[in-house]
Amino acid sequence: MIRRAERRDIPALMDIYNDAILHTTATFDTEIKDRANREAWYGEHTGRYAIFVCEEGKEIVGYASLSRYRDRRAFDPAVELSIYLREDARGRGIGRELMAQILASARACEEIATVISLITGDNEASIRLHEHFGFVYCGQIRSAGVKFGRTLNLNAYQIVFDR
């Protein structure tokens, strides 16, 4: 079931993100996040900045969020999308369900004109998911970061809502 995230979901959201930090290049974060950090992050997600979770039984197996793209006010019509799944939830269509819900939320919000995703260059599954939903490749920042001893490129994808 896809639903809006609630405060009680924070521990599961934290576990999913920390696993991505420790084991994947899906995020350039390298240090795990504590409860206080995730509480603050959750608190920033109000209004246009939504978080949706996928709940199976009583467990959160993934989430999608829309976050502020940049701190400068001129960027307010843009949001950054993130999707993270528990390892055992990958490859089962949950990312597609979350993407559909988060994009429906973004389209329904008149304050949002564009959704941006920054995807590690080797994350083929995420790239395919974004392209399936109509995101357009905007360019690549080469050698944007280093994680697990690997130099990583960062691809920019975007979807613009014609209003």
Side-chain angles (χ1 to χ4, degrees), residues 75-100:
F75 287 115
D76 281 355
V79 293
E80 185 172 349
L81 174 123
S82 298
I83 297 178
Y84 291 97
L85 303 175
R86 250 179 25 190
E87 184 177 11
D88 63 338
R90 296 177 194 145
R92 296 178 25 214
I94 294 169
R96 282 186 184 220
E97 291 178 43
L98 285 164
M99 178 72 89

Side-chain angles (χ1 to χ4, degrees), residues 103 107 113-117 133-136 157-161:
L103 287 179
R107 278 190 182 93
T114 186
V115 179
I116 297 166
S117 282
F133 279 90
F135 280 77
V136 175
Y157 281 81
Q158 175 184 34
I159 193 165
V160 178
F161 301 135

Side-chain angles (χ1 to χ4, degrees), residues 1-156:
M1 168 179 76
I2 306 295
R3 63 169 174 78
R4 200 74 186 234
E6 299 172 4
R7 185 166 296 283
R8 66 184 167 95
D9 301 323
I10 292 173
L13 299 174
M14 182 176 69
D15 289 346
I16 291 167
Y17 189 64
N18 282 338
D19 183 72
I21 290 169
L22 293 172
H23 300 108
T24 77
T25 59
T27 175
F28 279 31
D29 266 329
T30 58
E31 297 177 7
I32 62 169
K33 306 303 177 192
D34 63 15
R35 178 71 184 244
N37 173 277
R38 293 294 88 182
E39 289 273 356
W41 172 82
Y42 180 85
E44 293 169 356
H45 287 81
T46 60
R48 76 183 98 179
Y49 306 120
I51 305 171
F52 287 91
V53 298
C54 179
E55 185 175 38
E56 290 184 340
K58 295 191 183 283
E59 293 188 26
I60 304 302
V61 297
Y63 71 91
S65 63
L66 297 176
S67 302
R68 185 174 201 147
Y69 175 65
R70 295 286 183 263
D71 288 335
R72 295 175 183 95
R73 287 190 75 74
F75 287 115
D76 281 355
V79 293
E80 185 172 349
L81 174 123
S82 298
I83 297 178
Y84 291 97
L85 303 175
R86 250 179 25 190
E87 184 177 11
D88 63 338
R90 296 177 194 145
R92 296 178 25 214
I94 294 169
R96 282 186 184 220
E97 291 178 43
L98 285 164
M99 178 72 89
Q101 182 62 54
I102 203 80
L103 287 179
S105 174
R107 278 190 182 93
C109 180
E110 290 292 324
E111 297 172 304
I112 297 174
T114 186
V115 179
I116 297 166
S117 282
L118 302 173
I119 306 170
T120 309
D122 63 356
N123 191 341
E124 291 297 324
S126 185
I127 290 169
R128 283 193 308 275
L129 176 66
H130 283 75
E131 289 175 344
H132 173 80
F133 279 90
F135 280 77
V136 175
Y137 174 76
C138 298
Q140 183 179 78
I141 302 167
R142 295 179 58 214
S143 300
V146 176
K147 192 167 181 186
F148 308 129
R150 294 178 34 220
T151 300
L152 302 169
N153 299 328
L154 191 61
N155 293 341

